[in-house]
Amino acid sequence: MPRYLDVQAPEHGVRLITLQRPEALNALCTGLLTELASELEAAERDEQTRAVVITGSRKAFAAGADIREMAERDLVGILNDPRVAHWQSIAAFAKPLIAAVNGYALGGGCELAMCADIVIAGSDARFGQPEINLGIIPGAGGTQRLLRAVGKPLAMQMVLTGEAISARHALQAGLISEITQPELTLERALHVARSIAAKAPLAVRLAKEALLKAGDTDLASGLRFERHAFTLLAGTADRDEGIRAFQEKRQARFQGR
Amino acid sequence: MTFQHILFSIEDGVALLSLNRPEQLNSFNTAMHLEVREALKQVRQSSEARVLLLTAEGRGFCAGQDLSDRNVAPGAEVPDLGESIDKFYNPLVRTLRDLPLPVICAVNGVAAGAGANIPLACDLVLAARSASFIQAFCKIGLVPDSGGTWLLPRLVGMARAKALAMLGERLGAEQAQQWGLIHRVVDDAALRDEALTLARQLATQPTYGLALIKRSLNASFDNGFDEQLELERDLQRLAGRSEDYREGVSAFMNKRTPAFKGC
Protein backbone atom coordinates (compact mmCIF):
# COMPACT_ATOMS: atom_id res chain seq x y z
CA MET A 1 0.00 0.00 0.00
CA PRO A 2 1.62 3.23 -1.07
CA ARG A 3 2.11 5.85 1.64
CA TYR A 4 3.04 8.87 -0.38
CA LEU A 5 1.00 8.26 -3.52
CA ASP A 6 -2.60 7.95 -4.43
CA VAL A 7 -3.04 5.78 -7.51
CA GLN A 8 -6.24 5.62 -9.46
CA ALA A 9 -7.57 4.57 -12.82
CA PRO A 10 -10.02 7.40 -13.49
CA GLU A 11 -10.80 6.13 -16.96
CA HIS A 12 -10.03 3.32 -19.30
CA GLY A 13 -6.36 3.14 -20.20
CA VAL A 14 -5.31 6.04 -17.95
CA ARG A 15 -3.59 5.81 -14.61
CA LEU A 16 -3.44 8.81 -12.30
CA ILE A 17 -0.66 9.12 -9.75
CA THR A 18 -1.11 11.87 -7.16
CA LEU A 19 1.82 12.83 -4.95
CA GLN A 20 0.51 13.04 -1.41
CA ARG A 21 2.90 14.45 1.10
CA PRO A 22 1.05 17.66 1.91
CA GLU A 23 2.94 18.36 5.12
CA ALA A 24 6.13 18.78 3.06
CA LEU A 25 4.70 20.34 -0.13
CA ASN A 26 5.28 16.95 -1.77
CA ALA A 27 9.03 17.09 -1.24
CA LEU A 28 10.51 14.04 -2.96
CA CYS A 29 11.87 11.95 -0.11
CA THR A 30 13.42 8.58 -0.85
CA GLY A 31 10.24 6.78 0.20
CA LEU A 32 8.15 8.77 -2.25
CA LEU A 33 10.62 8.26 -5.11
CA THR A 34 10.78 4.53 -4.38
CA GLU A 35 7.01 4.27 -4.54
CA LEU A 36 6.82 6.38 -7.66
CA ALA A 37 9.42 4.31 -9.49
CA SER A 38 7.67 1.09 -8.55
CA GLU A 39 4.23 2.44 -9.52
CA LEU A 40 5.58 3.42 -12.93
CA GLU A 41 7.14 0.00 -13.34
CA ALA A 42 3.76 -1.53 -12.54
CA ALA A 43 2.07 0.79 -15.05
CA GLU A 44 4.66 -0.23 -17.60
CA ARG A 45 3.85 -3.90 -17.15
CA ASP A 46 0.08 -3.36 -17.10
CA GLU A 47 -1.22 -3.81 -20.63
CA GLN A 48 -4.39 -1.89 -19.83
CA THR A 49 -2.44 1.26 -19.01
CA ARG A 50 -1.85 3.40 -22.09
CA ALA A 51 -0.89 6.70 -20.46
CA VAL A 52 -0.04 7.98 -16.99
CA VAL A 53 -0.83 11.34 -15.46
CA ILE A 54 1.21 12.50 -12.51
CA THR A 55 0.11 15.41 -10.34
CA GLY A 56 0.51 16.99 -6.92
CA SER A 57 -1.71 19.35 -4.97
CA ARG A 58 -3.23 22.72 -5.76
CA LYS A 59 -0.37 24.39 -3.91
CA ALA A 60 2.58 22.28 -4.98
CA PHE A 61 3.42 19.71 -7.62
CA ALA A 62 6.61 18.98 -5.70
CA ALA A 63 8.65 21.59 -3.89
CA GLY A 64 12.01 19.85 -4.10
CA ALA A 65 13.94 17.05 -2.48
CA ASP A 66 13.81 16.22 1.20
CA ILE A 67 16.48 18.54 2.60
CA ARG A 68 16.69 16.82 5.98
CA GLU A 69 17.40 13.49 4.31
CA MET A 70 19.97 15.09 2.06
CA ALA A 71 21.77 16.70 5.00
CA GLU A 72 22.24 13.29 6.59
CA ARG A 73 24.11 11.88 3.60
CA ASP A 74 27.86 12.31 3.41
CA LEU A 75 29.96 11.84 0.29
CA VAL A 76 29.87 8.07 0.47
CA GLY A 77 26.17 8.13 1.29
CA ILE A 78 25.49 10.17 -1.82
CA LEU A 79 27.69 7.88 -3.90
CA ASN A 80 25.49 4.95 -2.86
CA ASP A 81 22.26 6.95 -3.06
CA PRO A 82 19.40 4.60 -4.02
CA ARG A 83 17.52 7.52 -5.55
CA VAL A 84 19.74 7.57 -8.60
CA ALA A 85 18.28 4.25 -9.70
CA HIS A 86 14.73 5.48 -9.01
CA TRP A 87 15.25 8.56 -11.13
CA GLN A 88 16.65 6.43 -13.95
CA SER A 89 13.66 4.18 -13.75
CA ILE A 90 11.23 7.12 -13.78
CA ALA A 91 12.98 8.71 -16.75
CA ALA A 92 12.97 5.40 -18.64
CA PHE A 93 9.19 4.94 -18.39
CA ALA A 94 8.24 3.94 -21.94
CA LYS A 95 4.58 4.96 -21.98
CA PRO A 96 3.38 8.55 -22.27
CA LEU A 97 3.79 10.41 -18.98
CA ILE A 98 1.84 13.63 -18.53
CA ALA A 99 2.54 16.00 -15.66
CA ALA A 100 -0.30 18.18 -14.37
CA VAL A 101 1.51 20.92 -12.47
CA ASN A 102 -0.11 23.37 -10.09
CA GLY A 103 1.86 25.58 -7.73
CA TYR A 104 5.51 24.90 -7.03
CA ALA A 105 7.63 22.63 -9.21
CA LEU A 106 11.01 23.33 -7.67
CA GLY A 107 14.27 21.41 -7.56
CA GLY A 108 13.43 17.71 -7.76
CA GLY A 109 9.84 18.73 -8.54
CA CYS A 110 10.96 20.62 -11.62
CA GLU A 111 13.19 17.70 -12.57
CA LEU A 112 10.27 15.32 -12.18
CA ALA A 113 8.10 17.51 -14.41
CA MET A 114 10.91 17.43 -16.98
CA CYS A 115 10.88 13.62 -16.91
CA ALA A 116 7.30 13.82 -18.16
CA ASP A 117 6.63 13.87 -21.88
CA ILE A 118 3.94 16.51 -21.70
CA VAL A 119 3.57 19.20 -19.03
CA ILE A 120 0.27 21.00 -18.50
CA ALA A 121 0.53 23.75 -15.90
CA GLY A 122 -1.87 25.95 -13.98
CA SER A 123 -1.46 29.66 -14.62
CA ASP A 124 0.09 30.23 -11.19
CA ALA A 125 2.62 27.38 -11.38
CA ARG A 126 6.26 28.21 -10.68
CA PHE A 127 9.28 26.33 -12.01
CA GLY A 128 12.79 26.58 -10.63
CA GLN A 129 16.01 24.91 -9.59
CA PRO A 130 16.88 26.54 -6.25
CA GLU A 131 19.59 24.01 -5.31
CA ILE A 132 22.34 26.60 -5.74
CA ASN A 133 20.97 28.46 -2.69
CA LEU A 134 21.93 25.45 -0.59
CA GLY A 135 25.42 25.21 -2.01
CA ILE A 136 24.56 22.24 -4.20
CA ILE A 137 23.40 21.74 -7.79
CA PRO A 138 20.47 19.90 -9.36
CA GLY A 139 21.13 16.17 -9.22
CA ALA A 140 18.37 14.56 -11.24
CA GLY A 141 18.60 16.10 -14.67
CA GLY A 142 18.06 19.73 -13.73
CA THR A 143 21.18 20.91 -15.52
CA GLN A 144 20.71 18.65 -18.53
CA ARG A 145 17.01 18.45 -19.38
CA LEU A 146 16.46 22.10 -18.48
CA LEU A 147 19.09 23.28 -20.93
CA ARG A 148 17.68 21.10 -23.67
CA ALA A 149 14.18 22.42 -22.94
CA VAL A 150 14.72 26.15 -22.52
CA GLY A 151 18.13 26.84 -24.04
CA LYS A 152 21.36 27.94 -22.42
CA PRO A 153 20.78 31.52 -21.23
CA LEU A 154 17.59 30.81 -19.31
CA ALA A 155 18.84 27.46 -17.99
CA MET A 156 22.02 29.15 -16.73
CA GLN A 157 20.03 31.95 -15.14
CA MET A 158 17.66 29.55 -13.38
CA VAL A 159 20.34 27.16 -12.16
CA LEU A 160 22.88 29.82 -11.15
CA THR A 161 20.48 32.22 -9.42
CA GLY A 162 17.97 29.68 -8.14
CA GLU A 163 15.14 32.03 -9.12
CA ALA A 164 11.88 30.46 -10.25
CA ILE A 165 9.96 31.39 -13.40
CA SER A 166 6.24 31.77 -13.97
CA ALA A 167 4.05 29.39 -15.94
CA ARG A 168 3.79 31.98 -18.69
CA HIS A 169 7.58 32.25 -18.92
CA ALA A 170 7.89 28.46 -18.85
CA LEU A 171 5.45 28.15 -21.74
CA GLN A 172 7.25 30.77 -23.75
CA ALA A 173 10.58 29.02 -23.12
CA GLY A 174 9.27 25.59 -24.10
CA LEU A 175 9.47 23.97 -20.67
CA ILE A 176 5.75 23.21 -20.65
CA SER A 177 3.22 22.55 -23.37
CA GLU A 178 0.11 24.34 -22.16
CA ILE A 179 -1.24 26.72 -19.52
CA THR A 180 -4.70 26.35 -18.14
CA GLN A 181 -6.80 27.64 -15.24
CA PRO A 182 -5.41 25.99 -12.08
CA GLU A 183 -8.74 24.34 -11.26
CA LEU A 184 -8.71 22.67 -14.67
CA THR A 185 -5.08 21.53 -14.87
CA LEU A 186 -5.70 17.94 -13.89
CA GLU A 187 -8.85 17.68 -15.97
CA ARG A 188 -6.98 18.94 -19.02
CA ALA A 189 -4.10 16.52 -18.42
CA LEU A 190 -6.54 13.64 -18.08
CA HIS A 191 -8.19 14.71 -21.31
CA VAL A 192 -4.84 14.63 -23.10
CA ALA A 193 -4.11 11.23 -21.55
CA ARG A 194 -7.47 9.90 -22.66
CA SER A 195 -6.83 11.11 -26.17
CA ILE A 196 -3.44 9.35 -26.25
CA ALA A 197 -4.87 6.21 -24.66
CA ALA A 198 -7.26 5.90 -27.60
CA LYS A 199 -4.44 5.77 -30.19
CA ALA A 200 -2.60 2.71 -31.44
CA PRO A 201 -0.33 1.72 -28.51
CA LEU A 202 2.60 0.56 -30.65
CA ALA A 203 2.57 3.76 -32.67
CA VAL A 204 2.46 5.81 -29.45
CA ARG A 205 5.37 3.88 -28.00
CA LEU A 206 7.55 4.25 -31.09
CA ALA A 207 6.59 7.89 -31.52
CA LYS A 208 7.69 8.64 -27.96
CA GLU A 209 10.94 6.77 -28.47
CA ALA A 210 11.62 8.57 -31.73
CA LEU A 211 10.92 11.98 -30.20
CA LEU A 212 13.24 11.26 -27.28
CA LYS A 213 15.94 10.22 -29.75
CA ALA A 214 15.84 13.72 -31.18
CA GLY A 215 17.07 15.06 -27.84
CA ASP A 216 20.13 12.87 -27.51
CA THR A 217 21.39 11.88 -30.93
CA ASP A 218 22.52 13.52 -34.15
CA LEU A 219 19.96 14.26 -36.84
CA ALA A 220 21.06 11.50 -39.25
CA SER A 221 20.77 8.81 -36.57
CA GLY A 222 17.48 10.24 -35.41
CA LEU A 223 16.08 10.19 -38.93
CA ARG A 224 17.32 6.63 -39.39
CA PHE A 225 15.60 5.57 -36.16
CA GLU A 226 12.40 7.33 -37.21
CA ARG A 227 12.42 5.53 -40.56
CA HIS A 228 12.98 2.14 -38.92
CA ALA A 229 10.16 2.77 -36.45
CA PHE A 230 7.94 3.93 -39.31
CA THR A 231 8.73 0.75 -41.20
CA LEU A 232 8.11 -1.46 -38.16
CA LEU A 233 4.61 -0.06 -37.80
CA ALA A 234 3.83 -1.09 -41.38
CA GLY A 235 3.71 -4.65 -40.07
CA THR A 236 1.02 -3.97 -37.47
CA ALA A 237 -2.70 -4.68 -37.63
CA ASP A 238 -3.44 -1.33 -35.99
CA ARG A 239 -1.89 0.51 -38.93
CA ASP A 240 -4.21 -1.22 -41.36
CA GLU A 241 -7.15 -0.52 -39.07
CA GLY A 242 -6.17 3.14 -38.64
CA ILE A 243 -5.90 3.78 -42.34
CA ARG A 244 -9.06 1.87 -43.16
CA ALA A 245 -11.07 3.67 -40.47
CA PHE A 246 -9.86 6.99 -41.85
CA GLN A 247 -10.95 6.06 -45.35
CA GLU A 248 -14.29 4.79 -44.12
CA LYS A 249 -14.77 7.90 -41.97
CA ARG A 250 -15.26 5.95 -38.75
CA GLN A 251 -13.58 5.62 -35.36
CA ALA A 252 -10.61 3.23 -35.42
CA ARG A 253 -10.59 0.25 -33.05
CA PHE A 254 -6.98 -0.36 -32.06
CA GLN A 255 -5.85 -3.57 -30.42
CA GLY A 256 -2.16 -3.02 -29.79
CA ARG A 257 -1.07 -5.48 -32.46
CA MET B 1 -1.82 39.54 15.71
CA THR B 2 -3.53 42.65 17.06
CA PHE B 3 -3.63 45.59 14.70
CA GLN B 4 -2.55 49.13 15.47
CA HIS B 5 -2.60 50.82 12.10
CA ILE B 6 -5.72 49.24 10.64
CA LEU B 7 -9.16 48.13 11.80
CA PHE B 8 -10.15 44.68 10.71
CA SER B 9 -13.19 42.48 11.24
CA ILE B 10 -15.15 39.78 9.48
CA GLU B 11 -18.91 39.89 10.05
CA ASP B 12 -21.91 38.65 8.09
CA GLY B 13 -19.66 37.55 5.25
CA VAL B 14 -18.08 40.99 4.97
CA ALA B 15 -14.41 41.51 5.74
CA LEU B 16 -13.93 45.16 6.65
CA LEU B 17 -10.41 46.53 6.40
CA SER B 18 -10.02 50.17 7.34
CA LEU B 19 -6.70 52.01 7.18
CA ASN B 20 -6.26 53.67 10.55
CA ARG B 21 -3.49 56.25 10.67
CA PRO B 22 -5.80 59.24 10.27
CA GLU B 23 -3.26 61.78 11.57
CA GLN B 24 -0.94 60.83 8.70
CA LEU B 25 -3.81 60.63 6.20
CA ASN B 26 -3.41 56.84 6.35
CA SER B 27 -0.12 56.93 4.48
CA PHE B 28 1.72 53.63 4.32
CA ASN B 29 4.69 52.86 6.51
CA THR B 30 6.20 49.41 6.89
CA ALA B 31 4.14 48.60 9.98
CA MET B 32 0.85 49.37 8.24
CA HIS B 33 1.92 47.38 5.18
CA LEU B 34 2.59 44.35 7.36
CA GLU B 35 -0.78 44.63 9.06
CA VAL B 36 -2.65 45.03 5.78
CA ARG B 37 -0.80 42.00 4.44
CA GLU B 38 -1.73 39.92 7.49
CA ALA B 39 -5.38 41.01 7.27
CA LEU B 40 -5.57 40.11 3.57
CA LYS B 41 -4.04 36.75 4.38
CA GLN B 42 -6.79 36.17 6.92
CA VAL B 43 -9.40 37.17 4.33
CA ARG B 44 -7.97 34.63 1.92
CA GLN B 45 -7.95 31.88 4.51
CA SER B 46 -11.32 32.69 6.02
CA SER B 47 -14.19 30.52 4.88
CA GLU B 48 -16.59 33.17 6.19
CA ALA B 49 -15.47 36.23 4.22
CA ARG B 50 -17.34 36.56 0.93
CA VAL B 51 -16.75 40.26 0.25
CA LEU B 52 -13.92 42.61 1.18
CA LEU B 53 -14.62 46.26 1.91
CA LEU B 54 -11.52 48.44 1.94
CA THR B 55 -11.83 51.93 3.39
CA ALA B 56 -10.06 54.29 5.78
CA GLU B 57 -10.58 56.30 8.96
CA GLY B 58 -10.61 60.07 9.28
CA ARG B 59 -10.87 62.68 6.56
CA GLY B 60 -8.45 61.13 4.06
CA PHE B 61 -8.39 57.75 2.32
CA CYS B 62 -4.67 57.23 1.83
CA ALA B 63 -1.82 59.59 1.05
CA GLY B 64 0.35 56.84 -0.43
CA GLN B 65 3.84 56.30 0.92
CA ASP B 66 4.70 57.93 4.26
CA LEU B 67 7.68 59.98 3.12
CA SER B 68 8.96 60.39 6.68
CA ASP B 69 9.62 56.66 6.50
CA ARG B 70 12.18 57.28 3.76
CA ASN B 71 15.71 58.52 4.17
CA VAL B 72 16.38 60.91 1.33
CA ALA B 73 18.58 63.32 3.22
CA PRO B 74 21.50 64.77 1.24
CA GLY B 75 24.46 62.45 1.45
CA ALA B 76 22.30 59.47 2.36
CA GLU B 77 22.65 56.38 0.24
CA VAL B 78 20.44 56.48 -2.88
CA PRO B 79 17.26 54.65 -1.87
CA ASP B 80 16.04 51.70 -3.90
CA LEU B 81 12.36 52.51 -4.24
CA GLY B 82 11.91 49.35 -6.29
CA GLU B 83 12.57 47.37 -3.17
CA SER B 84 9.50 48.58 -1.28
CA ILE B 85 7.45 48.16 -4.45
CA ASP B 86 8.61 44.56 -4.78
CA LYS B 87 8.09 43.93 -1.11
CA PHE B 88 4.84 45.74 -0.42
CA TYR B 89 2.98 47.70 -3.08
CA ASN B 90 3.02 45.15 -5.88
CA PRO B 91 2.01 42.22 -3.67
CA LEU B 92 -0.75 44.40 -2.23
CA VAL B 93 -2.36 45.38 -5.54
CA ARG B 94 -1.84 41.86 -6.90
CA THR B 95 -3.57 40.39 -3.87
CA LEU B 96 -6.52 42.78 -4.21
CA ARG B 97 -6.87 41.93 -7.89
CA ASP B 98 -6.46 38.20 -7.37
CA LEU B 99 -8.62 37.76 -4.24
CA PRO B 100 -11.33 35.30 -5.21
CA LEU B 101 -14.11 37.53 -3.88
CA PRO B 102 -15.51 40.94 -4.77
CA VAL B 103 -13.45 43.81 -3.36
CA ILE B 104 -15.27 47.07 -2.70
CA CYS B 105 -13.31 50.21 -2.02
CA ALA B 106 -14.93 53.17 -0.26
CA VAL B 107 -12.73 56.21 -0.86
CA ASN B 108 -13.67 58.52 1.99
CA GLY B 109 -11.34 61.43 1.22
CA VAL B 110 -8.17 62.39 -0.55
CA ALA B 111 -6.44 59.49 -2.30
CA ALA B 112 -2.94 60.43 -3.39
CA GLY B 113 0.06 58.64 -4.84
CA ALA B 114 -0.15 54.89 -4.30
CA GLY B 115 -3.30 55.72 -2.34
CA ALA B 116 -4.94 56.84 -5.58
CA ASN B 117 -4.01 53.64 -7.38
CA ILE B 118 -4.81 51.03 -4.75
CA PRO B 119 -8.58 51.65 -5.22
CA LEU B 120 -8.11 51.01 -8.94
CA ALA B 121 -6.99 47.48 -8.15
CA CYS B 122 -10.33 46.89 -6.40
CA ASP B 123 -13.50 45.81 -8.15
CA LEU B 124 -16.17 48.35 -7.20
CA VAL B 125 -15.05 51.80 -6.11
CA LEU B 126 -17.38 54.18 -4.31
CA ALA B 127 -16.14 57.63 -3.38
CA ALA B 128 -17.37 60.35 -1.07
CA ARG B 129 -18.44 63.47 -2.97
CA SER B 130 -15.58 65.40 -1.40
CA ALA B 131 -12.99 62.69 -2.14
CA SER B 132 -10.33 63.25 -4.76
CA PHE B 133 -7.67 61.34 -6.64
CA ILE B 134 -4.21 62.80 -7.11
CA GLN B 135 -1.41 61.14 -9.07
CA ALA B 136 1.05 63.04 -6.92
CA PHE B 137 4.13 61.10 -8.06
CA CYS B 138 5.15 63.60 -10.76
CA LYS B 139 5.40 66.38 -8.18
CA ILE B 140 8.35 64.69 -6.48
CA GLY B 141 10.03 63.30 -9.57
CA LEU B 142 8.52 59.82 -9.45
CA VAL B 143 6.41 57.56 -11.64
CA PRO B 144 2.89 56.37 -10.75
CA ASP B 145 3.21 52.93 -9.20
CA SER B 146 0.96 50.26 -7.68
CA GLY B 147 -0.39 49.51 -11.14
CA GLY B 148 -1.37 53.12 -11.93
CA THR B 149 0.35 53.36 -15.31
CA TRP B 150 -1.32 50.14 -16.40
CA LEU B 151 -4.80 50.73 -15.05
CA LEU B 152 -5.23 54.46 -15.72
CA PRO B 153 -5.08 54.36 -19.53
CA ARG B 154 -7.36 51.34 -19.54
CA LEU B 155 -9.93 53.07 -17.35
CA VAL B 156 -9.91 56.63 -18.64
CA GLY B 157 -8.02 56.48 -21.96
CA MET B 158 -4.44 57.50 -22.73
CA ALA B 159 -4.99 61.25 -23.08
CA ARG B 160 -6.57 61.62 -19.66
CA ALA B 161 -4.16 59.12 -18.10
CA LYS B 162 -1.19 61.18 -19.26
CA ALA B 163 -2.74 64.43 -18.06
CA LEU B 164 -3.47 62.92 -14.65
CA ALA B 165 -0.02 61.35 -14.33
CA MET B 166 2.04 64.26 -15.68
CA LEU B 167 0.14 67.19 -14.21
CA GLY B 168 -0.65 65.60 -10.86
CA GLU B 169 -3.78 67.69 -10.50
CA ARG B 170 -6.61 66.87 -8.15
CA LEU B 171 -9.40 64.85 -9.80
CA GLY B 172 -12.68 65.28 -7.94
CA ALA B 173 -14.88 62.26 -7.23
CA GLU B 174 -17.65 63.36 -9.60
CA GLN B 175 -15.24 63.93 -12.46
CA ALA B 176 -13.61 60.57 -11.67
CA GLN B 177 -16.99 58.90 -11.98
CA GLN B 178 -17.79 60.70 -15.24
CA TRP B 179 -14.47 59.55 -16.64
CA GLY B 180 -15.13 55.96 -15.67
CA LEU B 181 -12.35 55.77 -13.10
CA ILE B 182 -14.74 54.76 -10.33
CA HIS B 183 -18.20 53.27 -10.07
CA ARG B 184 -20.20 55.72 -7.97
CA VAL B 185 -20.21 58.94 -5.94
CA VAL B 186 -22.03 59.07 -2.61
CA ASP B 187 -22.70 61.92 -0.16
CA ASP B 188 -19.91 62.06 2.41
CA ALA B 189 -22.08 61.24 5.39
CA ALA B 190 -23.67 58.27 3.64
CA LEU B 191 -20.53 56.67 2.21
CA ARG B 192 -19.73 54.17 4.95
CA ASP B 193 -23.34 53.01 5.25
CA GLU B 194 -23.85 52.69 1.52
CA ALA B 195 -20.62 50.79 1.10
CA LEU B 196 -21.53 48.44 3.94
CA THR B 197 -25.01 47.93 2.53
CA LEU B 198 -23.56 47.06 -0.86
CA ALA B 199 -21.01 44.73 0.73
CA ARG B 200 -23.64 42.94 2.84
CA GLN B 201 -25.90 42.60 -0.16
CA LEU B 202 -23.10 41.18 -2.32
CA ALA B 203 -22.19 38.77 0.48
CA THR B 204 -25.55 37.04 -0.06
CA GLN B 205 -24.92 36.63 -3.78
CA PRO B 206 -23.17 33.76 -5.61
CA THR B 207 -19.75 35.14 -4.67
CA TYR B 208 -17.83 32.28 -6.24
CA GLY B 209 -19.44 33.22 -9.55
CA LEU B 210 -18.64 36.88 -8.88
CA ALA B 211 -15.01 35.93 -8.29
CA LEU B 212 -14.95 34.15 -11.65
CA ILE B 213 -16.48 37.21 -13.32
CA LYS B 214 -13.76 39.33 -11.74
CA ARG B 215 -11.11 36.91 -12.94
CA SER B 216 -12.38 36.92 -16.50
CA LEU B 217 -12.75 40.70 -16.71
CA ASN B 218 -9.30 41.25 -15.22
CA ALA B 219 -7.80 38.83 -17.72
CA SER B 220 -9.51 40.53 -20.65
CA PHE B 221 -6.94 43.33 -20.70
CA ASP B 222 -4.18 40.83 -21.47
CA ASN B 223 -6.04 38.47 -23.73
CA GLY B 224 -6.91 38.49 -27.40
CA PHE B 225 -10.51 37.75 -28.36
CA ASP B 226 -9.92 34.05 -28.95
CA GLU B 227 -8.02 33.55 -25.72
CA GLN B 228 -10.76 35.34 -23.84
CA LEU B 229 -13.43 33.14 -25.42
CA GLU B 230 -11.51 30.10 -24.23
CA LEU B 231 -11.18 31.58 -20.77
CA GLU B 232 -14.93 32.24 -20.65
CA ARG B 233 -15.51 28.63 -21.61
CA ASP B 234 -13.22 27.33 -18.87
CA LEU B 235 -14.58 29.62 -16.17
CA GLN B 236 -18.14 28.78 -17.19
CA ARG B 237 -17.20 25.15 -16.83
CA LEU B 238 -16.14 25.85 -13.26
CA ALA B 239 -19.15 28.05 -12.52
CA GLY B 240 -21.47 25.37 -13.83
CA ARG B 241 -20.21 22.97 -11.19
CA SER B 242 -20.92 25.30 -8.29
CA GLU B 243 -23.62 24.70 -5.76
CA ASP B 244 -24.77 28.27 -6.24
CA TYR B 245 -25.48 27.63 -9.92
CA ARG B 246 -27.61 24.63 -9.03
CA GLU B 247 -29.36 26.66 -6.35
CA GLY B 248 -29.87 29.60 -8.72
CA VAL B 249 -31.48 27.44 -11.41
CA SER B 250 -33.60 25.56 -8.90
CA ALA B 251 -34.81 28.80 -7.27
CA PHE B 252 -35.62 30.25 -10.68
CA MET B 253 -37.59 27.18 -11.76
CA ASN B 254 -39.47 27.05 -8.47
CA LYS B 255 -40.04 30.81 -8.34
CA ARG B 256 -38.40 31.22 -4.95
CA THR B 257 -35.56 33.33 -3.56
CA PRO B 258 -32.23 31.55 -3.91
CA ALA B 259 -30.04 30.96 -0.85
CA PHE B 260 -26.49 31.25 -2.16
CA LYS B 261 -23.50 29.98 -0.22
CA GLY B 262 -20.59 31.28 -2.24
CA CYS B 263 -19.39 27.89 -3.44
Side-chain angles (χ1 to χ4, degrees), chain B residues 56-244:
Chain B
E57 301 300 310
R59 62 195 171 88
F61 173 71
C62 174
Q65 172 65 36
D66 185 340
L67 293 177
S68 69
D69 217 31
R70 288 261 165 81
N71 184 6
V72 284
E77 207 180 317
V78 178
D80 178 6
L81 298 187
E83 203 178 317
S84 79
I85 287 181
D86 262 343
K87 218 163 163 179
F88 295 121
Y89 289 99
N90 284 354
L92 170 60
V93 291
R94 270 200 199 105
T95 302
L96 292 170
R97 253 174 90 81
D98 292 346
L99 268 182
L101 39 80
V103 178
I104 301 169
C105 186
V107 181
N108 49 302
V110 69
N117 291 333
I118 288 165
L120 308 185
C122 301
D123 302 316
L124 294 166
V125 185
L126 311 184
R129 205 166 297 281
S130 71
S132 57
F133 297 82
I134 308 169
Q135 297 290 328
F137 305 91
C138 59
K139 302 284 192 186
I140 52 170
L142 296 182
V143 176
D145 59 24
S146 304
T149 61
W150 194 86
L151 282 160
L152 278 173
R154 286 170 168 81
L155 291 167
V156 301
M158 189 59 88
R160 283 168 171 165
K162 282 189 176 153
L164 287 171
M166 297 178 80
L167 301 177
E169 289 167 359
R170 173 185 174 281
L171 178 71
E174 285 178 22
Q175 187 83 79
Q177 188 207 353
Q178 281 162 23
W179 284 7
L181 190 74
I182 61 171
H183 167 55
R184 215 150 66 79
V185 179
V186 178
D187 286 335
D188 287 25
L191 178 71
R192 179 69 72 106
D193 279 350
E194 287 228 13
L196 271 170
T197 305
L198 177 64
R200 289 191 185 118
Q201 194 257 328
L202 275 184
T204 67
Q205 296 303 300
T207 40
Y208 173 65
L210 298 183
L212 295 179
I213 291 175
K214 161 179 181 163
R215 200 157 130 191
S216 61
L217 288 172
N218 282 345
S220 74
F221 284 151
D222 299 328
N223 279 346
F225 187 60
D226 287 326
E227 277 175 296
Q228 189 69 13
L229 287 179
E230 286 172 12
L231 179 69
E232 285 179 3
R233 176 203 60 202
D234 288 347
L235 296 185
Q236 200 72 296
R237 216 171 243 165
L238 294 173
R241 290 172 196 169
S242 66
E243 285 186 36
D244 282 348

Side-chain angles (χ1 to χ4, degrees), chain A residues 131-246:
Chain A
E131 288 88 345
I132 199 83
N133 296 327
L134 305 180
I136 55 174
I137 67 169
T143 66
Q144 301 302 301
R145 291 197 182 90
L146 187 64
L147 184 135
R148 284 166 169 78
V150 307
K152 180 176 147 191
L154 181 57
M156 284 285 182
Q157 187 170 327
M158 288 173 69
V159 172
L160 300 185
T161 68
E163 285 170 17
I165 62 171
S166 66
R168 189 180 279 222
H169 196 172
L171 179 69
Q172 187 192 16
L175 186 61
I176 64 177
S177 51
E178 192 176 311
I179 293 182
T180 183
Q181 299 302 306
E183 298 96 323
L184 294 169
T185 311
L186 179 57
E187 190 171 323
R188 177 66 190 144
L190 287 171
H191 180 89
V192 170
R194 184 165 61 230
S195 162
I196 293 171
K199 315 293 184 209
L202 292 173
V204 167
R205 188 167 125 192
L206 286 173
K208 170 169 173 170
E209 216 175 321
L211 281 160
L212 290 179
K213 274 272 181 289
D216 60 9
T217 185
D218 62 288
L219 181 62
S221 313
L223 288 171
R224 223 166 18 245
F225 180 89
E226 180 189 87
R227 198 64 212 168
H228 287 157
F230 190 86
T231 309
L232 264 179
L233 289 170
T236 65
D238 280 349
R239 174 198 185 254
D240 297 340
E241 163 64 7
I243 291 174
R244 202 173 317 116
F246 178 79

